[in-house]
Amino acid sequence: GYFNQRVTECRYSSKDLQGIEYIDSYVFNQVENIRFNSTVGKYVGYTELGVKNAEAWNKSPELAQMLGELERFCKPNADLRY
């Protein structure tokens, strides 16, 4: 069978809210194809398909939404982490 997975996570490197990173990864058959990283500020592709998708997704309105996920999802939940 096939294995398809999307993993979203907040990485907290310190108690300082500036050290938070939002990651959104797309994995197919244990190979990460594409990842959004809030520190980089865009999608990055790791496979041929991932590179093509990253180019398209970085031009779409969805990119602005992903940039807001750090503020919407990670920062309000930082207190739960600590």
Side-chain angles (χ1 to χ4, degrees), residues 60-77:
S60 74
E62 182 179 298
L63 181 62
Q65 178 184 348
M66 295 306 294
L67 290 168
E69 289 298 299
L70 180 69
E71 297 291 329
R72 186 193 70 79
F73 181 68
C74 295
K75 288 186 178 180
N77 292 311

Side-chain angles (χ1 to χ4, degrees), residues 3-15:
F3 176 77
N4 193 35
Q5 179 181 20
R6 180 179 180 188
V7 179
T8 58
E9 64 180 313
C10 299
R11 293 185 182 168
Y12 302 91
S13 59
S14 69
K15 288 187 177 186

Side-chain angles (χ1 to χ4, degrees), residues 4-82:
N4 193 35
Q5 179 181 20
R6 180 179 180 188
V7 179
T8 58
E9 64 180 313
C10 299
R11 293 185 182 168
Y12 302 91
S13 59
S14 69
K15 288 187 177 186
D16 180 13
L17 292 180
Q18 298 303 318
I20 300 174
E21 184 176 43
Y22 177 74
I23 307 289
D24 186 18
S25 300
Y26 295 82
V27 178
F28 182 73
N29 283 349
Q30 299 180 347
V31 175
E32 184 175 23
N33 289 314
I34 190 169
R35 174 189 290 187
F36 174 82
N37 183 321
S38 63
T39 303
V40 177
K42 64 179 183 176
Y43 288 95
V44 177
Y46 297 106
T47 63
E48 185 177 343
L49 178 60
V51 169
K52 289 180 182 180
N53 284 336
E55 289 174 5
W57 294 359
N58 285 330
K59 296 175 185 175
S60 74
E62 182 179 298
L63 181 62
Q65 178 184 348
M66 295 306 294
L67 290 168
E69 289 298 299
L70 180 69
E71 297 291 329
R72 186 193 70 79
F73 181 68
C74 295
K75 288 186 178 180
N77 292 311
D79 287 340
L80 298 173
R81 175 76 173 163
Y82 299 108

